Amino acid sequence: MSGRALADQPWLTAPETRRVLEALQAAGGDDCVRFVGGCVRNALLGAPVDDLDLATKLRPEQSMAALKAAGVKVVPTGIDHGTVTAVSGKRPYEITTLRRDVETDGRRAVVAFTDDWSEDAARRDFRLNALYADAGGRVFDPTGEGVADLEAGRIVFVGDARTRIREDYLRILRFFRFHAWYGRGEPDPVGLEAAGELAAGVARLSVERVWKELIKLLAAREPAPSVRAMVTSGVLAETLPEASDDLGPFVVMAQAVAEPELRLSALLPEDAVVVEAAARRLRAPNAVTARLAVAARGGVDAETDERRMRALVWSDGIEGAVDQAWRALSAGRVDAVKAGRLVAAAEGWDRPRLPVGGREAAAAGAAPGPEIGLTLKAFEAQWIAEDFPADGHELRLASALRKVRASSAQSA
């Protein structure tokens, strides 16, 4: 035990939590279940707690039977690895039997169940994640260093860093992600050296796991120091080979905006084709892939004014125009004052609808079929060039029709 205790944690004393704990304790005794990992770590830091994970001496089938007997819904979400999920008061509780690794391949592990808390702690990634708390909030620190690491802002692997990484190469990215979120100062040199030495192992991971870890890292308050360490160690080149070693644009972007997707865009070149290919390789969500590609179009420069910004909103949407303004800032084409002004112009503009349609084009004399469509396109181009005027549409349609017919005559 560490001598520490969790204080004032509503989730710990909530009726739905007590229901789960009491169900498991009825089957295995008071010491059969403890909270573990992120909820304990964040509670000690005074940070928000999202996920509630528990470790138990009970076997998965025993946990399920105990929960069902207490009327708690339970789902065998990962029963081969000892994990079931209880749902109490609409809140999920992931419950995993204490275990030790029998065999690992860098992605998956074959495990054996145990009733030894120290064995369970020994297979976890970092010492600050190997913290447990019982139903009364008493904190247990099996490695003897987890609480100290947490207080000092150190991300240190449990045991031998290379061994932990070879068990699951995702721990390379988690090392940098946890440093971004919880670390202070330079990364642990032993862990950093191991991550760099084994960086090629990232290629063995599923791209979905890599994507999720990368986005979580970039969502940290100040991710730049960790990303810089990824560059110097060679890990970023293995993770995102499309990225530049010049982190100047990324540093500016990370200071300007908090959105991880937009921060990611600043690691990539302003080349929509390259960016889209990178996002598809990582199997990013389709909406994110499209957003990254639009942000890379480079539509904002030193000459862009509010009028041009409205045209950009018309073609690329508010989000696309705003993203391009921030990319221009990160690339040094505009300063922070101008970027802020352009963003405000985009977000404050009430984008109108095209004021004419096929009926109006036909009334202006356009022949049914392709000529109507061409006339509307010519009208739209002129309307945008004139900064979206609210009137004069009949004259503009007539002018558009003349241009279409003149172009057709030249082509003939």
Side-chain angles (χ1 to χ4, degrees):
M1 198 165 67
S2 73
R4 300 288 298 274
L6 306 185
D8 300 324
Q9 297 297 315
W11 54 267
L12 182 62
T13 55
E16 58 268 27
T17 300
R18 308 315 296 182
R19 190 179 179 197
V20 171
L21 292 172
E22 289 166 6
L24 298 173
Q25 289 171 330
D30 290 349
D31 189 44
C32 81
V33 59
R34 295 175 184 172
F35 294 95
V36 65
C39 60
V40 181
R41 179 195 66 229
N42 284 20
L44 287 171
L45 286 173
V49 171
D50 297 319
D51 300 325
L52 294 180
D53 296 336
L54 298 103
T56 180
K57 294 180 179 180
L58 297 175
R59 298 299 189 260
E61 62 276 9
Q62 294 175 310
S63 295
M64 292 188 69
L67 291 162
K68 287 179 180 178
V72 177
K73 180 181 177 180
V74 59
V75 182
T77 46
I79 199 163
D80 290 343
H81 287 82
T83 301
V84 302
T85 299
V87 181
S88 178
K90 298 183 179 180
R91 182 162 197 170
Y93 297 78
E94 191 170 277
I95 304 163
T96 303
T97 299
L98 301 185
R99 53 194 180 173
R100 57 183 174 82
D101 290 337
V102 174
E103 181 182 336
T104 60
D105 64 2
R107 292 182 64 177
R108 308 172 193 84
V110 177
V111 299
F113 300 137
T114 180
D115 59 3
D116 188 328
W117 293 102
S118 295
E119 280 192 313
D120 187 75
R123 68 174 301 278
R124 296 186 179 271
D125 50 9
F126 311 116
R127 299 186 311 202
L128 55 67
N129 286 340
L131 295 171
Y132 302 76
D134 66 12
R138 292 179 301 170
V139 175
F140 296 80
D141 186 0
T143 71
E145 298 289 345
V147 171
D149 286 350
L150 192 63
E151 292 174 342
R154 293 190 300 258
I155 312 302
V156 181
F157 283 95
V158 173
D160 180 69
R162 288 166 179 79
T163 300
R164 295 288 83 77
I165 289 173
R166 289 190 180 101
E167 290 168 350
D168 185 353
Y169 286 105
L170 191 69
R171 288 172 173 169
I172 293 173
L173 300 183
R174 284 173 63 84
F175 174 73
F176 294 101
R177 193 248 290 187
F178 276 88
H179 182 262
W181 278 91
Y182 303 107
R184 294 195 298 275
E186 296 298 318
D188 172 60
V190 175
L192 185 62
E193 182 180 357
E197 180 182 313
L198 300 173
V202 171
R204 300 177 60 178
L205 300 169
S206 72
V207 290
E208 292 87 352
R209 295 180 81 197
V210 172
W211 168 259
K212 289 179 181 178
E213 203 63 37
L214 186 59
I215 287 298
K216 287 179 180 179
L217 188 161
L218 295 177
R221 181 180 176 184
E222 295 182 3
S226 295
V227 173
R228 187 174 290 109
M230 291 177 72
V231 171
T232 58
S233 64
V235 171
L236 188 64
E238 294 289 344
T239 307
L240 193 66
E242 301 86 354
S244 169
D245 286 348
D246 177 11
L247 291 183
F250 171 75
V251 170
V252 173
M253 184 71 85
Q255 292 173 343
V257 301
E259 294 172 88
E261 295 84 2
L262 201 48
R263 289 172 168 181
L264 173 62
S265 76
L267 286 171
L268 298 168
E270 282 189 295
D271 183 325
V273 174
V274 172
V275 168
E276 184 172 357
R280 293 198 182 283
R281 177 181 62 77
L282 291 170
R283 296 185 187 172
N286 290 338
V288 174
T289 298
R291 180 182 183 184
L292 291 172
V294 170
R297 288 178 181 170
V300 174
D301 57 30
E303 302 303 318
T304 302
D305 56 13
E306 293 184 10
R307 178 169 175 162
R308 282 180 58 183
M309 202 65 182
R310 287 189 285 271
L312 200 58
V313 170
W314 179 263
S315 63
D316 293 342
I318 293 175
E319 183 178 71
V322 167
D323 287 353
Q324 289 176 71
W326 291 128
R327 286 295 315 251
L329 171 66
S330 69
R333 294 193 299 273
V334 300
D335 61 22
V337 173
K338 181 164 186 176
R341 187 168 63 246
L342 294 177
V343 167
E347 293 178 339
W349 185 50
D350 187 8
R351 185 179 187 272
R353 298 177 61 184
L354 189 69
V356 299
R359 180 181 301 175
E360 288 80 7
E371 191 172 74
I372 285 182
L374 292 170
T375 300
L376 289 175
K377 285 185 178 180
F379 171 91
E380 181 183 13
Q382 185 174 344
W383 182 59
I384 294 171
E386 296 175 9
D387 198 23
F388 309 95
D391 51 21
H393 304 321
E394 290 184 6
L395 291 175
R396 205 167 287 108
L397 267 175
S399 173
L401 180 57
R402 287 195 298 271
K403 290 179 182 177
V404 168
R405 288 180 173 170
S407 177
S408 298
Q410 289 178 354
S411 299

